[in-house]
Amino acid sequence: MQKQGWKYQIIEDTGSGMNYKKPGLLKLIDLLLDRKISHIVITHKDRLLRFGFELIEYIAKKMDTEIVVLNQGEERNSAQELTNDLIAIITVFSGRLYGSRSNKNKKSLRKVNGC
């Protein structure tokens, strides 16, 4: 980006690629809609969003913003895409399930310990 002479800001988020309420993603969308960025540079397509990349891509085009994906990787067929999507969904829901169980267990322990 420096070689291109672009001014840049790094926006990072943690969490699920299926969470659309992440602060970094919302900031990126605001910058897009305010036409404050000309390029979005990401390492991999699914790092922006697991599902919904095409929507951000559409908005970016409307706002004259180019999305640059550094690691395009190999082209996948539809069966590989579907398999990866299903694995992503299972991963997210498993994390939510175990997270909710963890919270319930913590609350139960607090009740037992009188906290």
Side-chain angles (χ1 to χ4, degrees):
M1 290 182 289
Q2 288 175 336
K3 288 180 183 179
Q4 297 292 334
W6 298 340
K7 290 196 294 186
Y8 64 92
Q9 174 183 6
I10 297 174
I11 300 174
E12 294 179 292
D13 263 329
T14 56
S16 165
M18 293 176 59
N19 178 1
Y20 299 104
K21 295 180 182 178
K22 295 184 292 188
L25 177 62
L26 296 176
K27 180 178 183 175
L28 178 66
I29 291 171
D30 285 341
L31 291 169
L32 261 174
L33 295 176
D34 292 340
R35 295 182 186 267
K36 292 186 177 179
I37 52 177
S38 61
H39 295 82
I40 298 172
V41 179
I42 55 177
T43 56
H44 295 87
K45 184 175 155 181
D46 66 351
R47 295 295 84 204
L48 186 57
L49 282 173
R50 178 71 61 195
F51 303 104
F53 175 83
E54 290 79 13
L55 178 60
I56 299 296
E57 185 177 43
Y58 176 80
I59 294 169
K61 284 180 185 176
K62 288 289 187 180
M63 298 295 144
D64 297 319
T65 299
E66 178 186 0
I67 297 179
V68 178
V69 182
L70 298 177
N71 299 311
Q72 292 285 347
E74 61 195 46
E75 287 294 316
R76 299 182 212 167
N77 64 36
S78 58
Q80 290 169 321
E81 290 282 338
L82 179 59
T83 301
N84 289 340
D85 290 347
L86 289 172
I87 290 170
I89 291 169
I90 291 168
T91 301
V92 168
F93 286 111
S94 296
R96 287 183 182 173
L97 177 66
Y98 293 126
S100 69
R101 285 183 183 171
S102 175
N103 286 334
K104 287 178 185 176
N105 290 338
K106 287 177 187 177
K107 287 179 184 178
S108 297
L109 281 174
R110 279 190 224 122
K111 287 180 183 178
V112 169
N113 292 328
C115 297

